[in-house]
Amino acid sequence: LMLILPGPGTNAPPAFGTIVMALGVVEHDSRTIGIGVALATLGNLFATAILGALFWAGITALGWVF
């Protein structure tokens, strides 16, 4: 879900974690899969923070207009 949201800088971090997980699956390496899961989770948290900041900035900007 996070990969399809249109936000600046929100697609690459979760996608990198997904790529690392895919590499772990191809190589049958559970440690690499675990690192990929951790990277994807951190990427999703980063993207959520960015989208939350954009939402907060939008609400604040609407407060200035009205």
Side-chain angles (χ1 to χ4, degrees), residues 2-57:
M2 196 59 75
L3 291 175
I4 61 174
L5 289 176
T10 59
N11 293 350
F16 181 70
T18 305
I19 290 169
V20 173
M21 280 190 288
L23 177 64
V25 169
V26 168
E27 295 294 327
H28 301 290
D29 185 10
S30 60
R31 182 178 294 164
T32 305
I33 295 171
I35 292 170
V37 168
L39 288 173
T41 302
L42 290 173
N44 284 329
L45 290 173
F46 174 76
T48 301
I50 294 292
L51 291 174
L54 287 173
F55 179 75
W56 177 76

